[in-house]
């Protein structure tokens, strides 16, 4: 039996900003960042399982070097539901190929949704209600429904979605035509967006009928969909490397936004750990830490036997994993990617990537 929504998890990302814990074969989605014992990929699958009905209707698209890790982390997922990309070509080919394969199994009327493997979402009941509303909106309007995140501040690192006319209300959730997508605005523009009340963050979650997405891919990205329909996985090395936002969402007249009410975080860097686990303690500790006059620190050790000792530190991230120790001021964690370029250029450090 086909469920009302067939979820597909996008699990090909690298998550370099969580280095040194995140490595090439152990990307962010394979990590447990909240002390729960479940990785981000596992919690994403757990979150979507009731919507899928059972494991047979849950899918994952991932990179070839991560496929074994996906199978290990999700042992109940049928092997045929893991779509393995031979190389990463961004999200447009991943969405196109996955939609083709899901339509082959369930028919083109099937509703499918795409969900990043490495985000944090709370309030399971609200999340499920949101997906039901998005499904109804997608079917009744032949729409590609993107889930819009209510901005909590004028972030410059997110894409923004401007809502236009209301197209309807679905189980108490209003949905709107998308007037425009804006990618990573400057500070002044972001502040104007947030104060207007008409903008959502683009969380990268989409719901649509397969036939609608396939039609829009033929219209706006024929160079991707035609090759994949003709040659399947063999076409991967020749399809353009494009995001689904650029290939379809910014061009289609089928885009709608449904503002969500559940709590969300894209876990973009080590600072996210503090947002998830902030308490009355002066520091966030995932591992053994002895501190003297240390506050605002995030401490993570992957080995339970190791102890991090600090004296007089403020607003610092300390991560100990294997042979690597990272120490960085919290307001500079975005620069980890720059350090990785230096490490990549050093032959003696290749096993640290």
């Amino acid at each position: 039996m086909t469920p009302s929504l067939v979820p597909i998890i996008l699990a090909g990302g690298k998550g370099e900003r969580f280095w040194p814990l995140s490595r090439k074969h152990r990307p962010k989605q394979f990590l447990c960042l909240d002390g729960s014992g479940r990785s981000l990929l596992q919690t994403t699958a757990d979150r979507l399982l009731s919507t899928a009905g059972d494991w047979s209707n849950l899918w994952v698209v991932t990179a070839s070097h991560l496929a074994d890790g996906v199978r290990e982390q999700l042992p109940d997922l049928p092997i045929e539901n893991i779509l393995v990309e031979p190389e990463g070509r961004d999200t447009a080919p991943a969405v196109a190929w996955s939609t083709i394969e899901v339509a082959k199994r369930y028919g083109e009327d099937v509703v499918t949704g795409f969900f990043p493997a490495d985000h944090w979402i709370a309030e399971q009941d609200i999340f499920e209600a949101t997906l039901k509303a998005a499904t109804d909106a997608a079917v009744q309007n032949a729409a590609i429904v993107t889930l819009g995140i209510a901005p909590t501040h004028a972030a410059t690192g997110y894409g923004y979605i401007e809502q236009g006319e209301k197209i309807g209300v679905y189980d108490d959730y209003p949905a709107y035509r998308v007037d425009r997508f804006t990618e990573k605005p400057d500070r002044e523009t972001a502040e104007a967006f947030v104060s207007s009340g008409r903008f959502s963050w683009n969380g990268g979650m989409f719901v649509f009928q397969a036939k609608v997405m396939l039609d829009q891919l033929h219209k706006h990205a024929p160079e991707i969909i035609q090759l994949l329909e003709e040659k399947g996985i063999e076409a991967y090395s020749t399809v353009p490397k494009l995001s689904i936002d650029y290939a379809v969402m910014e061009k289609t007249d089928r885009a709608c936004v449904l503002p969500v009410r559940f709590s969300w975080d894209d876990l973009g860097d080590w600072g996210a750990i503090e947002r998830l686990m902030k308490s009355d303690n002066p520091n966030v500790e995932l591992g053994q830490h002895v501190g003297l006059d240390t506050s605002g620190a995030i401490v993570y050790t992957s080995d339970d036997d190791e102890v991090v000792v600090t004296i007089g530190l403020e607003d610092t991230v300390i991560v100990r994993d294997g042979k690597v120790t990272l120490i960085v001021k919290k307001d500079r964690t975005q620069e980890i990617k720059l350090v990785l370029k230096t490490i990549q250029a050093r032959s003696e450090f290749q096993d640290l990537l």
Side-chain angles (χ1 to χ4, degrees):
M1 180 179 174
T2 303
S4 59
L5 172 66
V6 174
I8 302 174
I9 300 173
L10 293 164
K14 295 183 287 187
E16 290 179 332
R17 293 187 185 91
F18 278 92
W19 186 88
L21 195 61
S22 180
R23 310 285 182 101
K24 181 179 179 181
H25 292 279
R26 190 182 64 194
K28 184 174 75 168
Q29 60 265 29
F30 288 177
L31 305 178
C32 170
L33 296 174
D34 61 1
S36 68
R38 298 287 282 172
S39 73
L40 295 175
L41 173 61
Q42 289 169 329
T43 55
T44 301
D46 295 343
R47 186 183 309 128
L48 292 166
L49 198 54
S50 61
T51 296
D54 57 43
W55 286 100
S56 66
N57 296 317
L58 182 65
W59 295 56
V60 173
V61 57
T62 191
S64 56
H65 69 285
L66 302 178
D68 287 344
V70 170
R71 296 184 191 108
E72 181 180 328
Q73 292 221 342
L74 302 177
D76 295 320
L77 187 69
I79 198 75
E80 62 270 21
N81 287 19
I82 303 175
L83 301 178
V84 182
E85 296 180 290
E87 57 182 284
R89 308 298 291 170
D90 214 326
T91 53
V95 170
W97 180 41
S98 305
T99 304
I100 290 169
E101 293 303 315
V102 166
K104 284 180 185 177
R105 185 181 301 181
Y106 301 99
E108 291 193 0
D109 285 337
V110 69
V111 179
T112 187
F114 283 81
F115 305 90
D118 55 2
H119 291 181
W120 173 85
I121 290 173
E123 297 105 22
Q124 177 72 18
D125 56 339
I126 300 176
F127 177 72
E128 291 178 11
T130 304
L131 296 189
K132 183 179 183 303
T135 299
D136 292 343
V139 172
Q140 293 178 33
N141 297 279
I144 302 172
V145 178
T146 180
L147 303 186
I149 310 299
T152 56
H153 59 286
T156 57
Y158 294 144
Y160 284 74
I161 307 164
E162 184 176 13
Q163 65 190 41
E165 65 171 318
K166 183 186 289 185
I167 61 169
V169 179
Y170 307 89
D171 292 336
D172 198 35
Y173 285 85
Y176 306 85
R177 293 282 176 205
V178 170
D179 269 0
R180 61 169 162 159
F181 287 86
T182 302
E183 188 62 26
K184 297 180 180 178
D186 59 32
R187 174 68 59 184
E188 185 178 351
T189 303
E191 288 173 350
F193 284 176
V194 173
S195 64
S196 77
R198 298 194 316 274
F199 288 79
S200 300
W201 285 336
N202 183 359
M205 294 175 281
F206 307 93
V207 175
F208 50 81
Q209 281 185 289
K211 62 184 179 184
V212 175
M213 177 57 79
L214 294 173
D215 173 70
Q216 293 303 298
L217 283 162
H218 276 285
K219 185 177 290 188
H220 300 294
E223 69 280 11
I224 292 176
I225 191 68
Q226 289 176 5
L227 280 170
L228 289 171
E229 286 182 336
E230 291 168 9
K231 302 180 181 179
I233 196 69
E234 301 301 321
Y236 240 80
S237 62
T238 57
V239 297
K241 189 174 184 179
L242 290 175
S243 71
I244 193 64
D245 288 336
Y246 183 79
V248 174
M249 297 306 293
E250 293 178 8
K251 301 171 182 175
T252 182
D253 61 359
R254 299 281 90 200
C256 297
V257 58
L258 188 146
V260 308
R261 298 167 188 166
F262 52 76
S263 303
W264 171 92
D265 199 300
D266 74 334
L267 304 178
D269 59 29
W270 281 106
I273 305 300
E274 188 169 50
R275 293 193 295 274
L276 291 191
M277 304 190 65
K278 190 66 177 173
S279 66
D280 294 334
N281 295 327
N283 305 294
V284 175
E285 301 169 340
L286 287 161
Q288 296 194 79
H289 172 230
V290 177
L292 176 62
D293 294 332
T294 292
S295 63
I298 299 169
V299 182
Y300 191 111
T301 60
S302 56
D303 188 333
D304 292 339
D305 293 331
E306 294 192 345
V307 181
V308 172
V309 180
T310 63
I311 300 174
L313 294 185
E314 292 183 5
D315 299 331
T316 306
V317 178
I318 306 107
V319 183
R320 175 72 179 151
D321 181 70
K323 298 178 181 179
V324 182
T325 302
L326 168 73
I327 304 169
V328 57
K329 295 292 288 184
K330 282 197 296 196
D331 60 1
R332 299 189 65 178
T333 55
Q334 295 290 324
E335 296 174 50
I336 290 174
K337 280 186 152 185
L338 300 177
V339 173
L340 279 175
K341 289 182 179 178
T342 302
I343 291 174
Q344 287 166 356
R346 300 273 295 272
S347 59
E348 70 270 31
F349 291 154
Q350 294 308 295
D351 62 336
L352 303 181
L353 297 172

